[in-house]
Each structure stands twice: as C-alpha cells, then as structure tokens.
Amino acid sequence: MRKLAAAVCLFGAMVLPAHAAEVAVLDWRAALMNTQSAQSSLSQLEQQIGGQQREAQSLGNELQQLQERLQREGETMSQSQRDSLIAELQEKGSRFEQLRREVLQAQQRSEQQFLEGAESKLERAVEQVLQRHNIDVLVEPQGVLHSSTDLPNVTNEVTQIFDSLN
C-alpha cells in the first residue's frame, strides 16, 4: 500500500509541473499610460483644451463665490440685485457646463484615437512578454482575488517593449 501511495505521489509530482501554468499580472492601462505615445498624446490634448480647462476652473471659482454671496447677502439684497445675481449665476453656470462638455468630448476623442492606434502595438508587446517568460495565464491586478505567492508583474516590461516598437 505504501509503495502504491509513493508511486501515486511520485507520478503526481511528475505530472503537476507539466500542467502548472505560468501566471503573471498585467495592468494594461498603466502599461499604456506610461508609454511615450500616451505622454505625447496627453501633451497634445493639453495644448488643445488647456485654455478651456483654465476658463472652466476660473468660472467654477466665480460660481462658488457668487453662490456664497447669494447665501450670505441674498436676504438683504433688493429683488433686482438678487435677480441680477441669479441671472449671472445661470449664465456662468451654462458656460461652465458647455466648457465641461467640450473638454470631456475632446478627452474622449483623444483617448479613442490613442487606443485605436495603440491596440496593435500593445498586442505585439504583450505577445513578446508572454513568449519571453513562457506565460500561460495573464491576469489584471483587479482580477486576482488571492495568490499565495507574488505573481510576476509584467506591466513595466510591456511599457518598455511598446515604446521600442515602431
């Protein structure tokens, strides 16, 4: 019986490595955002929408000050002063929302263009890392519920390879 148990354990030990999968972690969003291409894309976006962002921030500050003034002094103001202040709040609020929408749309367009252009390079970079390390299973950091060992994180390596691809 002991010989049979030992033989089964030995057989199990020999078979297990053949079926064990190499598992690694990849945060593909971080890998992409750390690339030179992403930094360049962000820089171009900042040039395009920087003025709108600054205007929106300034309007946001003005709106806050106007709201505070209305809360502080609203009851002591004349009806025409209060109406004028409310009209100014509405006008600036509308402009603020318009700017916010324009900035958000520009960001979404820029992100979509970047992702479309980067997809094939990312796939090639990931494939190189998978082959280099004989990785069978690649998971996102958020997808790992538990691991008794530290899984290799290949995010930085994917970023480096992505940057080296033409």
Side-chain angles (χ1 to χ4, degrees):
M1 185 67 159
R2 284 186 180 158
K3 288 183 181 181
L4 179 60
V8 168
C9 287
L10 180 60
F11 177 74
M14 290 170 42
V15 171
L16 184 60
H19 294 294
E22 289 295 322
V23 180
V25 175
L26 170 63
D27 185 341
W28 66 270
R29 289 171 194 85
L32 271 180
M33 292 311 296
N34 291 328
T35 63
Q36 294 168 359
S37 299
Q39 298 308 312
S40 174
S41 179
L42 286 173
S43 184
Q44 288 174 354
L45 178 63
E46 173 59 32
Q47 289 174 1
Q48 290 173 357
I49 64 172
Q52 292 170 308
Q53 286 181 314
R54 286 186 291 280
E55 183 182 351
Q57 186 175 10
S58 176
L59 273 173
N61 292 336
E62 288 180 42
L63 285 168
Q64 185 176 358
Q65 291 171 356
L66 291 172
Q67 286 173 339
E68 289 171 359
R69 180 175 171 219
L70 184 61
Q71 289 174 350
R72 231 183 15 256
E73 303 171 15
E75 292 182 18
T76 61
M77 289 180 169
S78 69
Q79 186 63 39
S80 65
Q81 288 174 321
R82 192 172 26 258
D83 290 346
S84 176
L85 186 58
I86 290 171
E88 186 178 359
L89 270 166
Q90 290 174 339
E91 180 184 327
K92 289 185 180 196
S94 293
R95 176 65 180 148
F96 177 81
E97 283 303 313
Q98 177 188 1
L99 286 169
R100 189 186 65 75
R101 279 192 307 273
E102 290 172 2
V103 165
L104 183 60
Q105 288 171 350
Q107 288 172 330
Q108 289 171 340
R109 276 192 311 273
S110 176
E111 181 179 315
Q112 185 65 30
Q113 288 172 346
F114 172 72
L115 289 175
E116 286 173 3
E119 186 176 5
S120 66
K121 270 177 80 171
L122 178 64
E123 288 174 1
R124 291 191 331 229
V126 169
E127 187 59 38
Q128 284 185 26
V129 170
L130 292 174
Q131 289 175 1
R132 181 179 297 161
H133 298 287
N134 295 319
I135 296 170
D136 300 311
V137 179
L138 194 57
V139 296
E140 291 186 281
Q142 302 82 1
V144 179
L145 296 177
H146 171 75
S147 176
S148 59
T149 62
D150 286 338
L151 298 176
N153 188 334
V154 296
T155 301
N156 291 335
E157 188 173 353
V158 168
T159 299
Q160 291 170 352
I161 291 173
F162 184 101
D163 283 340
S164 72
L165 295 174
N166 293 326

Coordinates of all heavy atoms in Angstrom, one line a residue, residues 42-60 62 95-96 98-100 102-104 106-107:
L42 N -1.2 63.0 -24.4 CA -1.7 63.9 -23.3 C -1.2 65.3 -23.5 O -2.0 66.2 -23.2 CB -1.3 63.3 -21.9 CG -2.0 62.1 -21.5 CD1 -1.4 61.5 -20.2 CD2 -3.5 62.4 -21.2
S43 N 0.0 65.4 -23.9 CA 0.6 66.7 -24.1 C -0.2 67.5 -25.2 O -0.5 68.7 -25.1 CB 2.1 66.6 -24.4 OG 2.7 67.9 -24.5
Q44 N -0.5 66.8 -26.3 CA -1.2 67.4 -27.4 C -2.6 67.8 -26.9 O -3.1 68.8 -27.3 CB -1.3 66.4 -28.6 CG 0.0 66.2 -29.3 CD -0.1 65.2 -30.4 OE1 -1.1 64.5 -30.5 NE2 1.0 65.0 -31.2
L45 N -3.2 66.9 -26.2 CA -4.6 67.2 -25.6 C -4.5 68.4 -24.8 O -5.4 69.3 -24.9 CB -5.1 66.0 -24.9 CG -6.5 66.2 -24.2 CD1 -7.6 66.4 -25.3 CD2 -6.9 65.0 -23.4
E46 N -3.5 68.6 -23.9 CA -3.4 69.7 -23.0 C -3.3 71.0 -23.8 O -3.9 72.0 -23.5 CB -2.2 69.6 -22.1 CG -1.9 70.8 -21.3 CD -3.0 71.2 -20.3 OE1 -3.8 70.4 -19.9 OE2 -3.1 72.5 -20.1
Q47 N -2.5 70.9 -24.9 CA -2.4 72.1 -25.8 C -3.8 72.5 -26.4 O -4.1 73.7 -26.6 CB -1.4 71.9 -26.9 CG 0.0 71.8 -26.4 CD 1.0 71.4 -27.5 OE1 0.7 71.2 -28.6 NE2 2.3 71.3 -27.1
Q48 N -4.5 71.5 -26.8 CA -5.8 71.7 -27.4 C -6.9 72.3 -26.4 O -7.6 73.2 -26.8 CB -6.4 70.4 -28.0 CG -5.6 69.9 -29.2 CD -6.1 68.6 -29.6 OE1 -7.0 68.0 -29.0 NE2 -5.6 68.0 -30.7
I49 N -6.9 71.7 -25.2 CA -8.0 72.1 -24.3 C -7.6 72.8 -23.1 O -8.4 73.2 -22.2 CB -8.8 70.8 -23.9 CG1 -7.9 69.9 -23.1 CG2 -9.5 70.2 -25.1 CD1 -8.7 68.7 -22.5
G50 N -6.3 73.2 -23.0 CA -5.8 73.8 -21.8 C -6.5 75.1 -21.5 O -6.8 75.4 -20.4
G51 N -6.7 75.9 -22.5 CA -7.4 77.2 -22.4 C -8.8 77.0 -21.8 O -9.3 77.7 -21.0
Q52 N -9.5 76.0 -22.4 CA -10.9 75.7 -21.9 C -10.9 75.3 -20.5 O -11.8 75.6 -19.7 CB -11.5 74.7 -22.8 CG -11.8 75.2 -24.2 CD -12.3 74.1 -25.2 OE1 -11.6 73.0 -25.2 NE2 -13.4 74.3 -25.8
Q53 N -9.9 74.4 -20.1 CA -9.8 73.9 -18.8 C -9.6 75.1 -17.8 O -10.2 75.2 -16.7 CB -8.7 72.9 -18.6 CG -9.1 71.6 -19.2 CD -8.0 70.5 -19.0 OE1 -6.8 70.8 -19.3 NE2 -8.4 69.3 -18.7
R54 N -8.7 76.0 -18.2 CA -8.4 77.2 -17.3 C -9.7 78.0 -17.2 O -10.0 78.5 -16.1 CB -7.2 77.9 -17.8 CG -5.9 77.2 -17.6 CD -4.7 78.1 -18.0 NE -4.6 78.2 -19.4 CZ -4.1 77.3 -20.2 NH1 -3.6 76.2 -19.8 NH2 -4.0 77.6 -21.5
E55 N -10.3 78.3 -18.3 CA -11.6 79.1 -18.2 C -12.6 78.4 -17.4 O -13.3 79.1 -16.6 CB -12.1 79.3 -19.7 CG -13.3 80.2 -19.7 CD -13.9 80.4 -21.1 OE1 -13.3 80.0 -22.1 OE2 -15.0 80.9 -21.2
A56 N -12.8 77.1 -17.5 CA -13.8 76.4 -16.7 C -13.4 76.4 -15.2 O -14.3 76.6 -14.3 CB -13.8 74.9 -17.1
Q57 N -12.1 76.3 -14.9 CA -11.7 76.4 -13.5 C -12.0 77.8 -12.9 O -12.5 78.0 -11.8 CB -10.2 76.1 -13.3 CG -9.7 76.0 -11.9 CD -8.3 75.6 -11.8 OE1 -7.6 75.5 -12.8 NE2 -7.8 75.3 -10.6
S58 N -11.7 78.8 -13.7 CA -11.9 80.2 -13.3 C -13.4 80.4 -13.1 O -13.9 81.0 -12.1 CB -11.4 81.2 -14.3 OG -11.7 82.5 -14.0
L59 N -14.2 79.9 -14.0 CA -15.7 80.0 -13.9 C -16.2 79.3 -12.7 O -17.1 79.8 -12.0 CB -16.4 79.5 -15.2 CG -16.6 80.5 -16.3 CD1 -17.1 79.8 -17.5 CD2 -17.5 81.6 -15.9
G60 N -15.6 78.1 -12.4 CA -16.0 77.4 -11.2 C -15.8 78.1 -10.0 O -16.6 78.2 -9.1
E62 N -15.6 81.5 -9.7 CA -16.5 82.6 -9.7 C -17.9 82.1 -9.3 O -18.6 82.8 -8.5 CB -16.6 83.2 -11.1 CG -15.4 84.0 -11.5 CD -15.6 84.6 -12.9 OE1 -16.7 85.1 -13.2 OE2 -14.6 84.6 -13.7
R95 N -22.2 78.5 -19.2 CA -20.9 78.5 -19.9 C -20.0 77.4 -19.3 O -19.3 76.7 -20.0 CB -20.3 79.9 -19.8 CG -18.9 80.0 -20.4 CD -18.9 79.8 -21.9 NE -17.5 79.9 -22.4 CZ -17.1 79.2 -23.4 NH1 -17.8 78.4 -24.1 NH2 -15.8 79.4 -23.8
F96 N -20.1 77.3 -18.0 CA -19.2 76.3 -17.3 C -19.6 74.9 -17.8 O -18.7 74.1 -18.1 CB -19.4 76.4 -15.8 CG -18.7 75.3 -15.0 CD1 -17.3 75.5 -14.7 CD2 -19.3 74.2 -14.5 CE1 -16.7 74.5 -14.0 CE2 -18.7 73.2 -13.8 CZ -17.3 73.4 -13.6
Q98 N -21.1 74.1 -20.6 CA -20.7 73.9 -22.0 C -19.2 73.6 -22.1 O -18.8 72.7 -22.9 CB -21.0 75.3 -22.7 CG -20.5 75.2 -24.2 CD -20.6 76.6 -24.9 OE1 -21.0 77.6 -24.2 NE2 -20.3 76.7 -26.1
L99 N -18.4 74.3 -21.4 CA -16.9 74.1 -21.4 C -16.6 72.6 -20.9 O -15.8 71.9 -21.4 CB -16.2 75.1 -20.5 CG -16.0 76.5 -21.1 CD1 -15.5 77.5 -20.0 CD2 -15.1 76.5 -22.3
R100 N -17.3 72.3 -19.8 CA -17.1 70.9 -19.2 C -17.4 69.8 -20.3 O -16.6 68.9 -20.4 CB -17.9 70.8 -18.0 CG -17.6 69.5 -17.2 CD -18.6 69.3 -16.0 NE -20.0 69.1 -16.5 CZ -20.4 67.9 -17.0 NH1 -19.6 66.9 -17.2 NH2 -21.7 67.8 -17.4
E102 N -17.4 70.2 -23.6 CA -16.4 70.3 -24.7 C -15.1 69.6 -24.3 O -14.5 68.9 -25.1 CB -16.2 71.7 -25.1 CG -17.3 72.4 -25.8 CD -17.2 73.9 -26.0 OE1 -16.1 74.4 -25.6 OE2 -18.1 74.5 -26.6
V103 N -14.7 69.9 -23.1 CA -13.4 69.3 -22.6 C -13.6 67.7 -22.5 O -12.7 67.0 -22.9 CB -13.0 69.9 -21.2 CG1 -11.9 69.0 -20.5 CG2 -12.5 71.3 -21.4
L104 N -14.7 67.3 -22.0 CA -14.9 65.8 -21.8 C -15.0 65.2 -23.2 O -14.4 64.1 -23.4 CB -16.2 65.6 -21.1 CG -16.6 64.1 -20.8 CD1 -15.5 63.5 -20.0 CD2 -17.9 64.1 -20.1
A106 N -13.5 66.2 -26.0 CA -12.2 66.2 -26.5 C -11.3 65.2 -25.9 O -10.5 64.5 -26.6 CB -11.5 67.6 -26.3
Q107 N -11.5 65.0 -24.6 CA -10.7 63.9 -23.9 C -11.1 62.5 -24.4 O -10.3 61.7 -24.7 CB -11.0 64.0 -22.4 CG -10.3 65.1 -21.7 CD -10.7 65.3 -20.3 OE1 -11.8 65.0 -19.9 NE2 -9.8 65.8 -19.5

